[in-house]
Amino acid sequence: MTATVPYLSPPAHVIADDAEALAVAAELAELFRPEAAYRDAERRLPEQELGELSASGLLGVTVPAEYGGADVRQETLTEIFRLLASADASLAQIPQSHFVYVNVLRRHGTDEQRKFFFGEILAGARLGNAQSEAGTRHVQDIRTRLEPLGDGSYLLTGTKDYCTGALFADWIPVLARAEDGEPHVAYVPRDAEGVTVVDDWDGMGQRTTASGTVRLAAVRVPADRILPHHLTFRGPQLHGAVAQLLHAAIDAGIADGALGEAVAFVRTKSRPWFEGVEAGYPEAFDDPLLIQRFGELAVQVRAAEALLSSASRAVDAARADLTDDTAAEASIAVAAAKVTAGKAAVEVADALFEVSGTRSALASHRLDRYWRDARTHTLHDPARWKIQHIGRHTLHGTRPPRHGLL
């Protein structure tokens, strides 16, 4: 399916503070949870749910206070994503890039750019994503180009893949190289002439993110819609730490959701193993071997959530006093959280079937979405490289690189 019209956001509530943001997120998570399995099974794209997310005001919570936003702590934003992902990991994935590119505006936008875009976001506008490209040598090999025109504007040309959020966006931030060879971000209206968003995502997991293709055919972009993204990585920065922390929160949410499903299934549907019955344990949930396994799984989930919270506080601390050392500590803390949360998501989602028994494999229960979502999402970037950077920092005191994925 190729979408030809933008999904315009409704007028949004403006959230006042961290406490309200968390309350709204918890309420939305419970609203989105009941239909999540059906959306996945039917690949029913969450247009209505995203409209409710926009209207709730959650998409504006990181707008700075001087521009009218709540400017919530990173710890609050991380918990928002964990809550949403525990209900529906696909839905939680869609706004991840939104907040990444709000951060780009915070760091590199002019006052006029911030006034304009933060006003749009507080009104409910959604930012998408057109960053990755398939078929290039590696993830940072960007072929999309911004070419200057005589009137001061630019032509944007290229093809982007895995563009989560673009189908539902009001604005699509596009990563491209300018004539200087450096990466810039062009904020392009979803309905701009020359922009085509194709819903061709066919991943086994996170099926309703619509992370498809964006084609850019000589799209005209005014100069005041372009930001110098390459400056992000000159000097201490938290761009990568914030982006990765939201990914870690999604993994932790998947693990929490899978554990919750396992508890509900064993308590209401699982039959006891006959040897357990003979040993005096008439119900599956009384089986001491299952109790042991649930304890182990709960430890994994709690460990992921604890490291997530610790990493969030490290990012908040670094934001208040940004130096090479505080930025490095935040990145390492986030890397540890991401590794742990990713492992927990895959292992707990797999153990959901182990503890629930044969009936849990029936397609009608739709429990496989947790594993498919976890396995798909944790492929985003390799944990093995994060462990390498953690090891070098621990053993040699080496600061992690500033490439935006750590």
Side-chain angles (χ1 to χ4, degrees):
M1 179 183 76
T2 300
T4 57
V5 296
Y7 291 91
L8 297 177
S9 305
H13 169 68
V14 177
I15 288 175
D17 54 30
D18 293 70
E20 185 184 4
L22 290 173
V24 170
E27 181 180 346
L28 283 180
E30 292 313 305
L31 177 66
F32 297 154
R33 190 183 306 277
E35 293 294 315
Y38 299 97
R39 285 192 293 272
D40 172 81
E42 300 165 8
R43 199 173 181 272
R44 193 169 75 222
L45 300 182
E47 296 173 37
Q48 178 180 336
E49 290 78 10
L50 286 169
E52 291 164 342
L53 182 64
S54 286
S56 76
L58 280 182
L59 297 181
V61 295
T62 60
V63 170
E66 59 266 36
Y67 293 94
D71 201 9
V72 301
R73 298 188 305 274
Q74 184 61 45
E75 189 169 11
T76 297
L77 183 62
T78 303
E79 179 63 5
I80 288 169
F81 271 78
R82 192 195 69 80
L83 287 168
L84 294 175
S86 73
D88 186 340
S90 287
L91 188 52
Q93 181 69 46
I94 291 171
Q96 190 269 347
S97 293
H98 171 94
F99 287 98
V100 169
Y101 286 104
V102 170
N103 274 349
V104 172
L105 286 163
R106 287 182 62 136
R107 186 170 174 90
H108 296 301
T110 65
D111 184 55
E112 288 303 311
Q113 287 173 326
R114 291 171 183 162
K115 285 178 181 177
F116 175 77
F117 280 110
F118 290 157
E120 290 271 295
I121 290 162
L122 288 174
R126 293 189 290 267
L127 305 183
N129 157 46
Q131 180 168 297
S132 295
E133 298 178 15
T136 56
R137 187 164 178 266
H138 53 72
V139 71
Q140 294 194 337
D141 182 12
I142 302 300
R143 310 280 175 87
T144 300
R145 289 292 183 266
L146 277 167
E147 300 177 6
L149 297 174
D151 62 1
S153 63
Y154 291 78
L155 279 185
L156 178 64
T157 304
T159 299
K160 296 290 189 175
D161 302 270
Y162 314 119
C163 299
T164 304
L167 188 67
F168 312 106
D170 299 296
W171 292 86
I172 303 176
V174 180
L175 186 63
R177 294 193 186 277
E179 57 183 339
D180 57 6
E182 298 286 3
H184 293 66
V185 176
Y187 289 71
V188 178
R190 164 70 184 79
D191 59 348
E193 185 177 354
V195 174
T196 303
V197 182
V198 186
D199 177 21
D200 56 359
W201 169 242
D202 65 348
M204 69 172 181
Q206 294 196 304
R207 298 183 68 235
T208 60
T209 60
S211 301
T213 302
V214 171
R215 299 190 182 111
L216 305 148
V219 180
R220 187 179 290 267
V221 184
D224 62 359
R225 296 292 180 263
I226 300 171
L227 277 71
H229 190 43
H230 58 285
L231 297 181
T232 299
F233 308 105
R234 296 180 185 174
Q237 50 83 31
L238 297 171
H239 177 83
V242 169
Q244 288 292 300
L245 193 52
L246 299 184
H247 283 304
I250 292 169
D251 290 337
I254 294 171
D256 180 65
L259 182 59
E261 290 276 16
V263 169
F265 200 96
V266 170
R267 290 185 63 84
T268 61
K269 296 183 178 67
S270 294
R271 293 190 298 176
W273 184 242
F274 75 95
E275 290 177 285
V277 175
E278 292 174 353
Y281 305 106
E283 301 291 347
F285 52 76
D286 292 324
D287 183 337
L289 299 179
L290 271 183
I291 291 172
Q292 172 73 21
R293 189 66 178 117
F294 270 95
E296 293 168 350
L297 297 175
V299 168
Q300 282 190 280
V301 173
R302 283 174 175 259
E305 291 174 355
L307 283 177
L308 196 66
S309 180
S310 176
S312 298
R313 293 193 297 272
V315 170
D316 281 329
R319 183 169 285 154
D321 179 24
L322 188 59
T323 66
D324 285 329
D325 288 334
T326 61
E329 178 55 37
S331 286
I332 293 298
V334 170
K338 181 67 166 62
V339 169
T340 304
K343 185 176 182 180
V346 173
E347 293 187 359
V348 176
D350 179 69
L352 166 58
F353 298 95
E354 170 199 338
V355 298
S356 299
T358 307
R359 290 178 65 193
S360 65
L362 295 177
S364 58
H365 293 308
R366 300 178 175 87
L367 297 178
D368 58 308
R369 72 182 174 97
Y370 292 99
W371 186 87
R372 289 186 290 101
D373 285 348
R375 187 65 281 176
T376 300
H377 184 251
T378 53
L379 296 175
H380 185 270
D381 50 277
R384 60 186 178 272
W385 277 97
K386 297 182 188 303
I387 293 172
Q388 282 284 311
H389 294 308
I390 294 169
R392 292 190 183 106
H393 185 264
T394 301
L395 188 59
H396 301 300
T398 305
R399 296 187 187 114
R402 297 169 175 163
H403 54 40
L405 292 171
L406 199 69

